[in-house]
Amino acid sequence: MPELPEVETIRRDLLPLLRGRTITAVRVAPDASRVIRDVPPAAFAERISGRRIEDLTRRGKYLLFRLSGDLWLVAHLRMTGALLHRLASDPADPYVRVVIALDDATELRFVDLRKLGQLWVVETPEEAVGKLGPEPLDAAFTAARLGRAIVRRKAPIKAVLMDQRTLAGLGNIYADEALFAARIHPLRPASTLSEAETKRLHRAIRRVLSDALANRGSSFRDYVDAAGREGTHHLRVKVFRRTGQPCYVCRAEIARIKVGGRSSHFCPHCQPERGLNADDASATD
Ligand SMILES: [Zn+2]
């Protein structure tokens, strides 16, 4: 599933291509009506047609298109969704569910094998995105803020990190990678993290996301950017889907467990379940 680095890569690529363009037509495939939220496809098409795309921003894993006339088009790619920017004359792509035609003879194609992705047309983005935690790459996201968000949570830290109300944009890949970088076991109850561990985790989250963004995201299965290209960060992950392979730090075998129903990958040696003792933590911090 695309997470913050993948969605932000799409946003950065699309913004200069889409800003100022006017939507001239919208086509929704007959079998794709469930991709459109809350309104029938015809009403969706009618509401956004003729509007100009003023801006494209992101919140967590959501793309927010600000349209003329105080309306927002919101997209979430879920598992297998992608937004491809093509010439109208380009060959058809497989699994195209929605086509948004633009006034420069290009189009935005929402493709989605599994049809779990979603599009909304709303008057405020919050109507689509709901309550989300802070943006992890914003300056306002400090270690203290992370500490306040997790201090009362007894759930495993991995599950808490993936809860979009705690933090917006982190999913399975980058939660595993951040916990490895911070040397924290995924099953540790969030409330038991020490201040030093919270600081390490805060720094690890930001570094992991920034590195992935620099590599244009990870393409383990379906993710492609708006031009249909894969990212490269999956070639550089330390633990995600490396089960049984040697840890790059200590050579122990990467293990996999289920946390909150999701596969979690970690190094049993670098991320001990009881946490590092205070001496270890300060010695290696
Ligand atoms: Zn290790």
Side-chain angles (χ1 to χ4, degrees):
M1 177 193 278
E3 303 179 28
L4 186 154
E6 290 79 31
V7 179
E8 178 65 12
T9 297
I10 295 170
R11 186 195 73 81
R12 291 180 182 183
D13 284 358
L14 283 179
L15 178 60
L17 300 171
L18 299 186
R19 183 150 54 191
R21 299 269 62 86
T22 295
I23 297 170
T24 53
V26 180
R27 300 189 297 277
V28 180
D31 61 348
S33 57
R34 77 177 189 204
V35 168
I36 310 291
R37 291 295 304 264
D38 304 330
V39 293
F44 172 84
E46 191 194 340
R47 283 196 88 185
I48 67 171
S49 292
R51 294 184 193 264
R52 198 171 54 247
I53 299 172
E54 309 275 19
D55 199 5
L56 174 56
T57 58
R58 180 190 55 76
R59 187 75 174 89
K61 303 175 195 172
Y62 295 84
L63 285 165
L64 313 175
F65 300 80
R66 185 163 62 81
L67 306 179
S68 55
D70 295 323
L71 212 60
W72 295 77
L73 170 66
V74 178
H76 196 301
L77 303 173
R78 302 289 175 202
M79 298 293 289
T80 57
L83 274 173
L84 301 176
H85 185 252
R86 303 289 202 205
L87 295 172
S89 57
D90 280 342
D93 289 288
Y95 312 114
V96 173
R97 310 304 182 186
V98 180
V99 175
I100 297 172
L102 303 169
D103 63 351
D104 61 351
T106 67
E107 54 193 30
L108 204 52
R109 300 175 181 175
F110 184 81
V111 308
D112 192 352
L113 170 66
R114 293 178 62 183
K115 290 186 275 191
L116 298 172
Q118 299 185 306
L119 297 173
W120 294 257
V121 54
V122 286
E123 283 165 18
T124 62
E126 290 70 31
E127 293 172 51
V129 308
K131 284 248 182 286
L132 292 178
E135 285 291 326
L137 293 179
D138 275 4
F141 176 65
T142 59
R145 186 146 185 209
L146 176 63
R148 286 196 299 276
I150 67 175
V151 68
R152 287 185 190 82
R153 306 287 295 274
K154 293 185 171 58
I157 184 64
K158 167 77 185 284
V160 169
L161 289 182
M162 290 179 56
D163 180 344
Q164 301 299 296
R165 294 166 300 179
T166 309
L167 205 56
L170 224 53
N172 214 22
I173 302 170
Y174 302 113
D176 278 1
E177 293 295 307
L179 287 169
F180 173 77
R183 306 190 303 281
I184 295 169
H185 193 286
L187 284 177
R188 282 280 301 284
S191 58
T192 67
L193 266 59
S194 68
E195 194 178 334
E197 287 173 322
T198 304
K199 280 186 178 162
R200 282 211 307 273
L201 181 57
H202 170 260
R203 198 160 55 222
I205 290 167
R206 288 165 68 101
R207 187 175 308 150
V208 160
L209 292 174
S210 301
D211 287 352
L213 189 51
N215 293 322
R216 302 184 56 80
S218 303
S219 294
F220 282 97
R221 277 175 61 182
D222 301 287
Y223 168 71
V224 289
D225 66 18
R229 298 167 302 204
E230 296 190 339
T232 61
H233 195 72
H234 53 285
L235 304 171
R236 296 159 193 255
V237 293
K238 306 291 198 298
V239 290
F240 187 76
R241 293 201 183 158
R242 294 194 64 245
T243 311
Q245 297 178 48
C247 171
Y248 293 127
V249 174
C250 75
R251 313 304 292 169
E253 272 189 21
I254 301 302
R256 182 178 64 190
I257 53 171
K258 290 275 185 189
V259 181
R262 303 293 299 275
S263 283
S264 296
H265 312 79
F266 69 104
C267 172
H269 181 257
C270 294
Q271 298 165 266
E273 185 147 16
R274 291 185 171 279
L276 300 167
N277 68 41
D279 290 344
D280 285 350
S282 56
T284 53
D285 200 15

